[in-house]
Amino acid sequence: MKKQLMDMLEARKEEMIQIRRYLHENPELSFHEGKTAQYILDFYKGIEVEIQSNVGNGHGIIVTIKGGKPGKTIGLRADFDALPILEETGLPFRSKNEGVMHACGHDGHTAYLMILADCLIQLKDQIPGTIKIIHQHAEEVPPGGAKSIVDSGALDDIDNIFGIHLLPMNPVGFVGYHSGFSMAGRSYFKLMIQGVGGHGSSPHMANDAIVAGSSFVTAVQTIISRRLNPFEMGVITIGSFDGKGTFNVIKDRVELEGDIRYMTVETKGIIEKEVRRIVRGIEAEFGVQCELTYTSDYPPLYNNPDVTERVKTSLEKANDPDIKHVVEYPMMSPSDDFAYYLEKIPGCYFYIGSTPKGVEKPYFNHHPKFDIDEDALIVAAKSVGYVVCGYYGLE
């Protein structure tokens, strides 16, 4: 079956590219992907598979492929939402929806998985088990789509789960993996500081919220340098400090927003505890009132070591000219809500190199000039195909 599957994928490489280009031209934002979801559903129309739509808190789709023999159940996931970015690639198939762009490769994820799923459906009689194809909405915006799909119970029968992400850091042919904690968890906070406004000439008659906010900005950085184990990863970014006023007026109120990244659940807890402690200290030191909103967006992504080793072995044994290098990647600080699947289901999320041809310094994901080498799509499809075949012992 393995050779059959690979031959089928190679024969449909151009179809993958055309699907990717259609999706790239017609991006939709998280939780608003109605047309994209319908496009995916139309692709499976008339095919003998079980299809669930509107799974979770949005437009999630699950396609269940029941094999011809009993066995384990696995999940294969691809996300399909886009970002609120004005595209600057100049591609002939650039976004038709101004201010919305597939700048993270989700168009490619969806394209490869649609074709792989269709090929697996055609070969299902040879599969000793069940494969659930998860077309997921809303990866980019918390709470995301993954957690709601897990909470729906639609994946309760899955034994293992797999997914990939296109990354431009390596050229086509590179496939990367990492065992254990692999991508950062993410939290968000908003801090409102209420002081007392006044005239710039009379600070003694006011209570400057900007000074209190500035102290908070510098203080929270000591959490990373003085509260975390030096061998643990943590990042605190103050991305917004809204203190706009006028030059001779002491500001009575400021609002700050921040992004926090961490690689373990323990580090997550330490950072939250310390942020809350510093907020209490700011209130006491400056005599201001603080209102803190602190939410955990996505957990750290943990690749099961045993499953990851099986993925690595399947890829190394592929002996396929499209898969040139199987390499261990370092831990990465971006976050992905695939982590929610991995909290419940042992699995592996790995990476497909996609540097555009002729580009030495590619734009990273979420950049308005982000692009991929479309040859990465066949690498993605084959890589996941080899993992499926290896999992079920199909030669």
Side-chain angles (χ1 to χ4, degrees):
M1 172 179 157
K2 185 189 295 184
K3 185 178 186 309
Q4 280 182 283
L5 178 60
M6 298 307 148
D7 288 346
M8 292 169 73
L9 291 172
E10 287 182 4
R12 300 180 70 176
K13 177 180 174 180
E14 186 59 33
E15 189 178 352
M16 287 183 216
I17 292 172
Q18 292 307 313
I19 291 173
R20 182 256 168 167
R21 292 184 178 186
Y22 171 83
L23 294 171
H24 193 88
E25 280 187 312
N26 297 278
E28 293 181 294
L29 295 175
S30 306
F31 297 108
H32 300 279
E33 317 98 332
K35 292 180 181 178
T36 304
Q38 189 59 54
Y39 176 80
I40 296 169
L41 289 169
D42 288 344
F43 177 83
Y44 293 104
K45 191 173 291 183
I47 300 175
E48 290 188 24
V49 285
E50 178 186 328
I51 300 175
Q52 297 168 266
S53 59
N54 298 318
V55 182
N57 58 357
H59 298 286
I61 298 166
I62 297 177
V63 178
T64 300
I65 306 170
K66 294 183 179 179
K69 306 169 188 176
K72 290 188 174 182
T73 299
I74 63 172
L76 307 178
R77 173 269 210 173
D79 38 19
F80 58 77
D81 56 327
L83 288 156
I85 293 174
L86 182 64
E87 182 167 355
E88 298 176 6
T89 62
L91 293 168
F93 51 90
R94 62 186 173 274
S95 172
K96 294 178 179 177
N97 299 334
E98 187 170 359
V100 183
M101 177 189 175
H102 271 297
C104 200
H106 296 188
D107 48 350
H109 300 171
T110 301
Y112 101 79
L113 187 57
M114 287 169 67
I115 297 301
L116 175 60
D118 192 32
C119 294
L120 289 170
I121 291 167
Q122 295 179 52
L123 298 170
K124 64 183 179 180
D125 288 345
Q126 301 180 56
I127 298 172
T130 298
I131 301 174
K132 291 195 172 185
I133 304 298
I134 306 158
H135 291 291
Q136 185 207 306
H137 61 292
E139 187 278 325
E140 297 289 0
V141 175
K147 187 176 187 301
S148 68
I149 292 176
V150 171
D151 291 345
S152 75
L155 308 181
D156 285 353
D157 57 346
I158 286 185
D159 296 292
N160 297 109
I161 191 165
F162 304 93
I164 64 95
H165 205 300
L166 296 168
L167 291 178
M169 65 175 61
N170 285 120
V172 168
F174 274 75
V175 182
Y177 67 90
H178 187 89
S179 183
F181 285 110
S182 302
M183 297 183 75
R186 183 177 77 189
S187 295
Y188 160 85
F189 70 84
K190 178 187 289 186
L191 176 64
M192 186 281 292
I193 300 176
Q194 182 68 56
V196 178
H199 197 288
S201 67
S202 305
H204 61 294
M205 299 177 66
N207 195 358
D208 196 336
I210 287 181
V211 173
S214 300
S215 181
F216 173 82
V217 170
T218 56
V220 292
Q221 297 306 322
T222 65
I223 298 174
I224 305 302
S225 64
R226 288 296 177 267
R227 290 292 178 264
L228 294 189
N229 183 318
F231 297 101
E232 292 294 326
M233 170 269 186
V235 176
I236 300 176
T237 296
I238 309 297
S240 174
F241 191 132
D242 185 3
K244 178 67 175 174
T246 190
F247 75 99
N248 63 347
V249 176
I250 293 172
K251 191 73 174 174
D252 68 330
R253 174 188 173 109
V254 296
E255 191 173 273
L256 301 86
E257 291 181 279
D259 176 78
I260 297 173
R261 307 285 172 137
Y262 38 83
M263 199 58 73
T264 68
V265 175
E266 180 184 7
T267 300
K268 168 191 172 183
I270 292 171
I271 293 176
E272 180 175 355
K273 174 185 174 184
E274 292 298 321
V275 168
R276 293 186 182 279
R277 183 184 62 81
I278 288 172
V279 169
R280 292 194 298 270
I282 293 293
E283 287 184 314
E285 181 178 1
F286 293 95
V288 295
Q289 292 182 314
C290 293
E291 181 181 324
L292 176 67
T293 301
Y294 196 107
T295 59
S296 296
D297 291 345
Y298 301 155
L301 187 148
Y302 181 81
N303 280 328
N304 180 277
D306 292 336
V307 177
T308 302
E309 183 62 28
R310 292 174 67 179
V311 167
K312 172 177 174 280
T313 300
S314 294
L315 294 170
E316 288 177 338
K317 287 182 175 180
N319 192 28
D320 190 306
D322 285 325
I323 300 175
K324 299 179 176 65
H325 304 282
V326 180
V327 298
E328 183 173 7
Y329 272 31
M331 293 187 292
M332 299 179 63
S333 55
S335 304
D336 194 296
D337 75 346
F338 194 85
Y340 282 119
Y341 300 115
L342 295 174
E343 280 192 323
K344 302 290 186 181
I345 308 163
C348 180
Y349 196 54
F350 55 105
Y351 314 110
I352 306 296
S354 60
T355 306
K357 288 183 178 68
V359 176
E360 291 186 10
K361 294 182 179 180
Y363 295 101
F364 199 61
N365 305 61
H366 291 214
H367 192 281
K369 293 183 180 180
F370 170 84
D371 193 17
I372 63 169
D373 184 336
E374 291 175 320
D375 286 343
L377 302 181
I378 188 66
V379 178
K382 282 187 169 185
S383 295
V384 178
Y386 282 121
V387 168
V388 171
C389 290
Y391 187 88
Y392 287 116
L394 298 167
E395 295 298 333

